[in-house]
């Protein structure tokens, strides 16, 4: 999924994915000796992706605790920290807060600090504080976030500088768990605990105390003093504040300065300044591609931290502006310091997969990191170890007492919150499933003789795989001539088949009937989970001939008397008139393909239009451009991989089919692939064959006033695309009216009538927002499936068999979520279908009805 702003997305979804629930404590007394059994039960009982914001729903019947006693707020007394501040200094903080609430972002400087007297136990210490936090959420309500710096040689709990913030800013107990896990794995871990905070003797309640980055952090973790460096985020937040809405243009880690903590302290210690310069140049050469990850970082520790981020749902700490690195003076390598993980989330990607599948500057660091094969292998080894059910058992056994104490402190203010490790167990299960894919590769025999077999192999999933031997009936026959590792597949990209050779253990005559029974042994790199893959049938190798044929056709523009080619201005214009088109029209790259009022193209004898250049087709108010097929054989319009946006206004498509000429097939009669497009006042009538009338893939769309009637199957199919659709009318589609896959689209004023299957289908990690939607006489109204979200308002469902449906269809995904308001339904046989692990919320209230199998 592509996120416009990961911080915004995660903060908005934090409440929806929280793993705390409201309930009565006496329901949850569970003895430790049944813990290992419950781990297995959780995987069977729980299938959940989304939690509605503000909802009280939780995993019914599957919640359990780690400690062998219930969390009782009276069992632990939190440390009490009291701050005394003058009215003048408090007003200065208040003014800064109001400024941040206006811009949506808090910008800070060293001049923001004001003096306070800090009292802890029987000691009164001098300190200074300022407001803390980037997003203004840190400053809402009465529990503001603070940065505290002790003066002189004073420390609090052995800490010189620290943050005090609402526990929810780090998702309550889960950030504490993350730091305990980091320490458990020998990583540098912040001191993190819950305290009671008083301001001028008035209690502000329970706060999270989070250690800042200085020499005491390093020495407390039993490392020799060394600099801590980071990518400076000031420019990013300044840009967001300047935008006025807290968003702004993102700044990537390439343009961020490399900064160091405690710079004044370093200036007094020349050997530390030298170390800072070492760390600076290592990090600089890494991001410029001059050094590999294994040459810059302690990659074993980096691998551990990334694996922990997956298991503990703490992937937020890997955004480049959250990265912190200790320059180890002994090894001269950088070691990670985990920070701001927003832990406790349920993951939908592994970091080793997400790095290559997110088109966002936040993940460029991860791409460089995981491009190092040595690091990737270590990361996968750590995932294998940490995804074993016994891992969490051992971890929680070491922190059982402390966990109970910290939750008891939280319960002094947040008495309705209880800790559940359900999502951590589900993350383990997700990781195990990824490490043992259903079918890691596709492979087929392309050549064979008595001494050698040649295979064409393509990776089918996001993790790299090792290719081992070929066997027949468990007898090893062939081994690769060299070690084979195939990188992970990029999501939404075609399979990349490569040729590999295998040598026979001894000469043999491999007969045709034997080939279909051959098995290829495959495993994800870094694991010992081999699986045997059946070889596929050999694919049709004629596709390259088709491509060659299209390139040849591209040079035949002069043979079409209805085309005017302006080579000087690189414009190809369709002349006004009614034109019969008997052969394929292929428009090469580098042109603008134009048409105006008075143009009618009649595609006959299977002809089609293929353009590698953008379209500018504008018909007249009463004289639309028409693309039709009088003999019902015309194979429509395909716009493929163009640079620049296409615009279609007042165009009519009718009686068209999807391309199908043996070597080249598409599903849409009108297709835009990697071709941004705007359509206004466009009509689609009576397509003849194909899965879709309009298919848009990997493109940005802006549709308004589109009308579809009598589509053979889907009217509109949107894949891996983003944009907006408004004033769309669809009547009588044979299958889905609108089908979304892995897309982010906003809908306005949608009217659908007589959809053969789903009115609106939202699938495969799509996020669709809609309003003013009318669906009638259709099998299903709105369906959300496979890790997708549909959010809508003002929806009418009339005379449909099923109204709203949410479920998981494909095993690689999880459940789905629908959040709607102002829904009217009449004549709907079954209003809700909800598979366990999926959720529907109507007007803020969760629907309880569950249908396990749809």
């Amino acid at each position: 999924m592509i996120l416009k702003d990961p911080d915004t997305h995660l903060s908005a979804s934090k409440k929806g994915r929280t793993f705390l629930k409201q309930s009565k404590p006496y329901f949850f007394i569970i003895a430790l000796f049944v813990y290992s059994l419950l781990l297995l039960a959780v995987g069977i009982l729980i299938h959940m992706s989304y939690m509605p914001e503000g909802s009280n729903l939780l995993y019914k019947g599957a919640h359990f605790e780690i400690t062998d006693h219930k969390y009782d707020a009276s069992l632990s007394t939190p440390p009490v920290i009291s701050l005394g501040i003058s009215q003048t200094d408090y007003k200065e903080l208040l003014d800064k807060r109001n400024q941040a609430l206006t811009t949506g972002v808090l910008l800070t400087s060293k001049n923001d600090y004001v003096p306070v007297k800090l009292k802890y136990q029987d000691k009164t210490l001098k300190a200074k504080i300022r407001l803390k936090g980037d997003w203004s959420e840190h400053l809402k309500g009465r529990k503001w976030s603070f940065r505290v710096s002790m003066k002189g040689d004073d420390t609090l709990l052995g800490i010189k500088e620290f943050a005090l913030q609402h526990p929810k800013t780090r998702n309550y107990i889960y950030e504490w768990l993350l730091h305990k896990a980091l320490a458990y794995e020998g990583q540098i871990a912040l001191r993190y605990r819950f305290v009671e905070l008083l301001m001028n003797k008035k209690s502000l309640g329970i706060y999270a105390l989070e250690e800042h980055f200085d020499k005491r952090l390093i020495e407390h973790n039993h490392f020799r003093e060394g600099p801590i460096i980071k990518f400076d985020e000031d420019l990013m937040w300044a840009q967001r504040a300047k935008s006025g809405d807290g968003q702004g243009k993102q700044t990537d880690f390439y343009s961020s300065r490399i900064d160091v903590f405690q710079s004044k302290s370093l200036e007094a210690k020349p050997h530390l300044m030298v170390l800072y310069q070492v760390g600076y140049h290592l990090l600089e050469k890494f991001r410029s591609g001059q050094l590999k990850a294994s040459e810059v970082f302690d990659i074993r520790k980096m691998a551990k931290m990334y694996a922990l981020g997956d298991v503990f749902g703490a992937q937020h700490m890997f955004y480049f502006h959250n990265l912190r690195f200790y320059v180890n003076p002994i090894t001269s390598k950088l070691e990670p310091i985990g920070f701001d993980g927003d832990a406790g989330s349920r993951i939908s990607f592994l970091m080793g997969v997400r790095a290559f599948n997110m088109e966002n500057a936040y993940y460029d660091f991860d791409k460089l990191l995981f491009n190092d094969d040595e690091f990737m292998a270590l990361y996968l080894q750590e995932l294998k170890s940490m995804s074993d059910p016994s891992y969490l058992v051992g971890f929680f056994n070491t922190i059982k007492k402390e966990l109970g104490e910290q939750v008891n402190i939280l319960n002094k203010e947040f008495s309705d919150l209880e800790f559940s490790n359900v999502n951590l167990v589900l993350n383990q299960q997700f990781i195990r499933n990824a490490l043992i894919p259903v079918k890691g590769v596709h492979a087929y025999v392309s050549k064979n003789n008595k001494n050698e077999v040649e295979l064409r192999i393509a990776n089918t999933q996001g993790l790299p795989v090792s290719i081992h031997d070929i066997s027949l009936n468990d007898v090893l026959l062939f081994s690769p001539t060299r070690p084979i590792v195939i990188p992970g597949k990029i999501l939404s990209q075609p399979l990349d088949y490569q040729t590999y050779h295998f040598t026979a253990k001894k000469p043999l005559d491999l007969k045709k009937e034997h080939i279909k029974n051959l098995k290829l042994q495959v495993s994800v790199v870094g694991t010992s989970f081999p699986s045997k893959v059946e070889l596929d049938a050999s694919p049709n190798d004629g596709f390259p001939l088709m491509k060659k044929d299209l390139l040849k056709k591209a040079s035949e523009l002069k043979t079409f008397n209805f085309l005017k080619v302006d080579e000087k201005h690189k414009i190809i214009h369709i002349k006004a008139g009614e034109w019969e088109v008997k052969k394929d029209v292929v428009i090469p790259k580098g042109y603008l393909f134009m048409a105006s009022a008075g143009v009618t193209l009649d595609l006959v004898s299977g002809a089609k239009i293929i353009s590698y250049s953008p379209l500018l087709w504008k018909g007249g108010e009463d004289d639309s451009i028409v693309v039709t097929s009088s003999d019902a054989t015309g194979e429509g319009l395909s716009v493929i991989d163009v640079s620049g946006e296409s615009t279609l206004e007042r165009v009519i498509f009718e009686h068209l089919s999807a391309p199908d000429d043996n070597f080249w097939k598409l599903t849409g009669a009108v297709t835009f692939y990697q071709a941004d497009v705007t359509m206004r006042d466009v009509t689609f009538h009576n397509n003849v064959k194909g899965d879709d009338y309009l298919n848009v893939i990997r493109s940005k769309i802006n549709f308004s006033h589109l009308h579809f009637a009598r589509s053979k199957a889907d009217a509109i199919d949107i894949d891996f695309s983003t944009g907006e659709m408004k004033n769309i009318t669809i009547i009588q589609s044979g299958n889905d009216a609108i089908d979304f896959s892995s897309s982010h689209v906003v809908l306005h004023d949608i009217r659908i009538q007589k959809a053969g299957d789903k009115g609106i289908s939202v699938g495969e990690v799509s996020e669709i927002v809609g309003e003013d939607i009318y669906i009638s006489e259709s099998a299903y109204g709105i369906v959300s499936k496979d890790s997708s979200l549909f959010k809508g308002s003002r929806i009418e469902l009339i005379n449909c068999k099923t109204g709203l449906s949410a479920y998981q269809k494909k095993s690689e995904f999880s459940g789905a979520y629908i959040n709607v308001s102002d829904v009217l339904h009449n004549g709907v046989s079954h209003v809700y279908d909800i598979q366990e692990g999926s959720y529907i919320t109507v007007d803020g209230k969760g629907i309880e009805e569950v249908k396990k199998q749809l």
Side-chain angles (χ1 to χ4, degrees):
M1 168 183 0
I2 300 173
L3 305 179
K4 292 183 179 179
D5 191 324
D7 273 336
T8 301
H9 175 84
L10 289 174
S11 64
S13 64
K14 182 185 296 182
K15 294 180 182 178
R17 299 189 181 194
T18 188
F19 309 114
L20 305 169
K21 79 169 192 177
Q22 298 178 355
S23 184
K24 297 179 179 179
Y26 55 78
F27 285 126
F28 303 102
I29 305 174
I30 299 177
L32 182 62
F33 72 92
V34 299
Y35 172 63
S36 58
L37 294 177
L38 284 169
L39 285 175
L40 179 60
V42 168
I44 299 172
L45 293 174
I46 307 305
H47 300 283
M48 175 179 178
S49 280
Y50 295 96
M51 286 290 293
E53 185 170 348
S55 171
N56 294 330
L57 297 175
L58 193 68
Y59 308 92
K60 296 182 178 179
H63 177 80
F64 62 93
E65 302 172 6
I66 296 303
T67 57
D68 56 5
H69 63 276
K70 62 183 179 182
Y71 298 143
D72 185 343
S74 67
L75 297 178
S76 297
T77 301
V80 178
I81 298 173
S82 179
L83 300 177
I85 182 172
S86 71
Q87 290 300 316
T88 300
D89 291 330
Y90 181 82
K91 184 179 183 302
E92 188 173 333
L93 294 180
L94 181 62
D95 291 342
K96 188 72 176 180
R97 170 185 180 261
N98 292 337
Q99 178 185 350
L101 292 177
T102 300
T103 62
V105 171
L106 174 68
L107 299 180
T108 62
S109 74
K110 62 182 180 181
N111 297 323
D112 294 336
Y113 281 98
V114 297
V116 294
K117 291 183 178 180
L118 187 152
K119 186 175 181 180
Y120 175 66
Q121 295 178 345
D122 59 349
K123 292 183 179 181
T124 299
L125 308 170
K126 291 184 179 181
K128 58 181 181 179
I129 68 168
R130 64 167 173 81
L131 298 180
K132 179 262 178 192
D134 301 315
W135 297 116
S136 59
E137 278 77 4
H138 279 265
L139 305 174
K140 293 181 178 178
R142 71 186 186 96
K143 294 171 79 77
W144 308 349
S145 295
F146 301 102
R147 170 79 64 217
V148 183
S149 180
M150 307 300 296
K151 289 190 175 181
D153 294 327
D154 289 341
T155 63
L156 176 69
L157 302 172
I159 304 173
K160 181 73 172 176
E161 190 170 351
F162 53 91
L164 291 168
Q165 52 203 351
H166 195 308
K168 74 177 181 181
T169 62
R170 297 284 194 263
N171 204 10
Y172 297 94
I173 194 65
Y174 296 98
E175 193 78 4
W176 181 88
L177 273 179
L178 173 63
H179 288 295
K180 288 297 177 182
L182 289 167
Y184 183 69
E185 287 294 340
Q187 306 282 96
I188 297 174
L190 307 184
R191 281 172 278 190
Y192 191 95
R193 62 183 305 175
F194 300 104
V195 301
E196 183 178 358
L197 180 64
L198 278 63
M199 179 76 77
N200 289 344
K201 299 183 180 181
K202 181 179 179 180
S203 177
L204 298 180
I206 301 300
Y207 266 63
L209 185 152
E210 178 184 72
E211 184 174 11
H212 198 47
F213 303 93
D214 64 7
K215 61 173 289 187
R216 291 167 182 83
L217 165 65
I218 300 304
E219 291 173 348
H220 178 73
N221 284 272
H222 303 131
F223 289 93
R224 184 174 294 179
E225 182 183 4
I228 301 174
I229 62 177
K230 67 169 185 174
F231 295 108
D232 181 33
E233 55 192 294
D234 288 350
L235 178 60
M236 180 184 72
W237 292 113
Q239 287 180 330
R240 287 175 167 176
K242 185 177 180 180
S243 72
D245 59 1
Q247 303 300 314
K249 185 178 180 181
Q250 293 178 1
T251 302
D252 62 19
F253 91 106
Y254 289 106
S255 56
S256 297
R257 292 188 307 109
I258 297 173
D259 201 0
V260 64
F261 290 93
Q262 308 294 321
S263 57
K264 286 188 176 180
S265 300
L266 264 64
E267 291 173 1
K269 299 178 180 180
H271 70 285
L272 292 182
M273 283 301 298
V274 171
L275 279 174
Y276 166 49
Q277 294 170 0
V278 169
Y280 180 99
H281 288 291
L282 284 174
L283 201 53
E284 193 66 76
K285 288 184 178 181
F286 171 71
R287 70 174 172 181
S288 66
Q290 298 178 63
L291 292 177
K292 299 188 301 180
S294 54
E295 297 173 304
V296 174
F297 303 103
D298 184 324
I299 56 172
R300 172 65 72 180
K301 290 187 175 182
M302 288 287 283
K304 283 181 179 292
M305 193 176 81
Y306 270 76
L308 284 171
D310 288 339
V311 173
F312 283 81
Q315 296 171 337
H316 186 260
M317 65 179 168
F318 302 123
Y319 295 147
F320 78 90
H321 62 275
N322 287 334
L323 295 170
R324 308 287 186 264
F325 301 105
Y326 159 61
V327 185
N328 190 316
I330 308 300
T331 65
S332 291
K333 289 194 173 182
L334 307 185
E335 298 187 15
I337 304 176
F339 165 69
D340 193 5
D342 193 24
S345 302
R346 184 176 175 189
I347 62 172
S348 58
F349 279 99
L350 296 180
M351 285 303 302
V353 175
R354 186 172 75 168
F356 302 105
N357 286 281
M358 303 295 276
E359 297 178 9
N360 193 296
Y362 274 87
Y363 309 104
D364 287 342
F365 177 89
D366 302 326
K367 289 178 183 177
L368 290 177
L369 187 65
F370 283 96
N371 266 326
D372 188 318
D373 294 339
E374 188 178 353
F375 171 77
M376 173 66 88
L378 287 173
Y379 162 75
L380 293 171
Q381 288 175 16
E382 294 295 337
L383 282 183
K384 175 192 172 187
S385 174
M386 294 182 191
S387 63
D388 190 292
S390 65
Y391 180 82
L392 285 181
V393 176
F395 167 65
F396 280 114
N397 278 337
T398 66
I399 63 164
K400 181 178 69 171
K401 181 179 178 181
E402 288 182 273
L403 174 60
E405 291 172 350
Q406 294 301 307
V407 175
N408 288 338
I409 292 173
L410 282 173
N411 276 352
K412 284 185 173 294
E413 179 175 352
F414 310 102
S415 58
D416 56 349
L417 301 180
E418 291 193 5
F419 166 66
S420 168
N421 72 344
V422 167
N423 279 11
L424 309 188
V425 175
L426 290 175
N427 287 346
Q428 285 186 312
Q429 182 181 358
F430 181 91
I431 293 167
R432 290 196 300 273
N433 289 341
L435 296 181
I436 313 175
V438 174
K439 187 178 184 184
V441 300
H442 289 325
Y444 65 90
V445 177
S446 52
K447 294 180 183 177
N448 77 92
N449 56 48
K450 290 184 177 181
N451 297 306
E452 186 179 72
V453 165
E454 180 182 278
L455 297 188
R456 296 276 289 168
I457 307 174
N459 200 340
T460 62
Q461 44 79 58
L463 295 177
V465 293
S466 295
I467 305 299
H468 306 294
D469 301 313
I470 301 173
S471 62
L472 177 65
N473 299 326
D474 294 326
V475 176
L476 192 154
L477 299 181
F478 301 90
S479 295
T481 56
R482 58 179 175 82
I484 301 174
V485 173
I486 304 179
K489 178 186 176 297
I490 305 300
L491 186 67
S492 78
Q493 291 291 321
L495 294 177
D496 181 20
Y497 279 97
Q498 298 293 328
T499 300
Y500 302 96
H501 295 88
F502 295 76
T503 303
K505 295 297 180 182
K506 60 180 181 179
L508 75 158
D509 187 9
L510 198 61
K511 300 185 181 300
K512 187 175 182 180
E513 59 268 22
H514 295 151
I515 292 178
K516 63 181 181 180
N517 294 319
L518 292 176
K519 299 289 192 301
L520 178 66
Q521 186 165 289
V522 179
S523 65
V524 170
V525 169
T527 73
S528 56
F529 304 131
S531 58
K532 292 182 178 180
V533 175
E534 294 183 357
L535 298 185
D536 299 322
S538 178
N540 189 334
D541 290 325
F543 182 77
L545 299 177
M546 180 281 307
K547 187 174 182 180
K548 181 179 178 180
D549 192 35
L550 288 181
L551 292 175
K552 180 181 178 182
K553 291 178 181 178
S555 64
E556 298 177 352
L557 295 176
K558 293 182 180 180
T559 64
F560 298 103
N561 59 358
F562 56 86
L563 294 180
K564 180 181 179 181
V565 181
D566 181 348
E567 289 293 351
K568 179 179 179 180
H569 297 97
K570 306 303 287 185
I571 295 174
I572 299 173
H573 203 291
I574 303 175
K575 301 175 185 177
E578 296 183 5
W579 307 99
E580 185 178 71
V581 183
K582 296 182 178 180
K583 62 179 183 178
D584 296 344
V585 178
V586 180
I587 306 299
K589 283 184 176 293
Y591 291 84
L592 178 63
F593 187 25
M594 297 182 63
S596 305
V599 169
T600 296
L601 298 178
D602 183 10
L603 306 180
V604 297
S605 302
K608 53 187 166 286
I609 301 172
I610 303 168
S611 180
Y612 297 98
S613 292
L615 276 58
L616 180 59
W617 288 12
K618 290 189 176 183
E621 293 289 344
D622 300 312
D623 192 5
S624 297
I625 297 168
V626 178
V627 181
T628 186
S629 179
S630 58
D631 66 355
T633 66
E635 295 189 345
L637 167 70
S638 300
V639 183
I640 300 173
D641 197 19
V642 305
S643 176
E645 182 182 44
S646 294
T647 299
L648 286 77
E649 295 183 6
R650 295 178 291 279
V651 179
I652 297 174
F653 296 100
E654 58 184 12
H655 307 300
L656 300 175
S657 300
D660 183 358
D661 65 356
N662 295 321
F663 297 126
W664 190 59
K665 297 182 181 181
L666 297 179
T667 60
V670 178
T671 298
F672 285 81
Y673 172 76
Q674 293 186 173
D676 298 346
V677 57
T678 292
M679 292 189 188
R680 290 187 286 270
D681 297 315
V682 179
T683 300
F684 299 79
H685 285 171
N686 302 304
N687 72 313
V688 180
K689 64 180 180 179
D691 293 340
D692 321 304
Y693 208 145
L694 172 62
N695 187 198
V696 180
I697 310 162
R698 295 174 59 81
S699 306
K700 294 180 181 178
I701 61 172
N702 186 353
F703 294 164
S704 63
H705 297 88
L706 270 56
H707 179 80
F708 291 77
R710 295 174 297 281
S711 301
K712 189 75 173 177
D714 293 356
I716 305 175
D717 193 332
I718 307 294
D719 301 318
F720 316 109
S721 298
T722 60
E724 185 175 16
M725 299 167 58
K726 58 184 178 181
N727 297 111
I728 310 295
T729 302
I730 301 174
I731 301 173
Q732 199 172 329
S733 58
N735 198 50
D736 300 338
I738 310 177
D739 184 4
F740 296 101
S741 295
S742 300
S743 296
H744 296 66
V745 178
V746 178
L747 306 177
H748 305 275
D749 298 317
I750 309 296
R751 298 185 64 83
I752 295 169
Q753 183 179 0
K754 295 184 179 179
D757 194 5
K758 297 174 280 291
I760 297 176
S761 176
V762 182
E764 299 185 11
V765 202
S766 291
E767 293 186 10
I768 307 299
V769 178
E771 62 180 11
D772 297 315
I773 295 172
Y774 175 90
I775 302 174
S776 68
E777 302 173 74
S778 301
Y780 288 84
I782 298 172
V783 167
S784 181
K785 60 183 185 293
D786 294 337
S787 303
S788 294
L789 165 66
F790 176 84
K791 184 175 183 179
S793 61
R794 299 191 297 277
I795 296 169
E796 291 187 54
L797 303 170
I798 308 298
N799 296 331
C800 298
K801 292 181 181 179
T802 302
L804 303 174
S805 301
Y807 56 90
Q808 175 188 352
K809 182 178 179 181
K810 298 182 178 180
S811 61
E812 62 266 35
F813 300 102
S814 50
Y817 178 40
I818 294 176
N819 184 351
V820 291
S821 60
D822 297 329
V823 178
L824 298 177
H825 56 83
N826 185 24
V828 178
S829 303
H830 196 75
V831 181
Y832 307 112
D833 270 341
I834 313 169
Q835 187 185 64
E836 188 174 4
S838 295
Y839 292 86
I840 295 178
T841 299
V842 179
D843 295 325
K845 182 179 180 181
I847 303 301
E848 296 294 335
E849 179 180 349
V850 173
K851 183 174 181 182
K852 293 185 178 180
Q853 299 295 331
L854 295 174

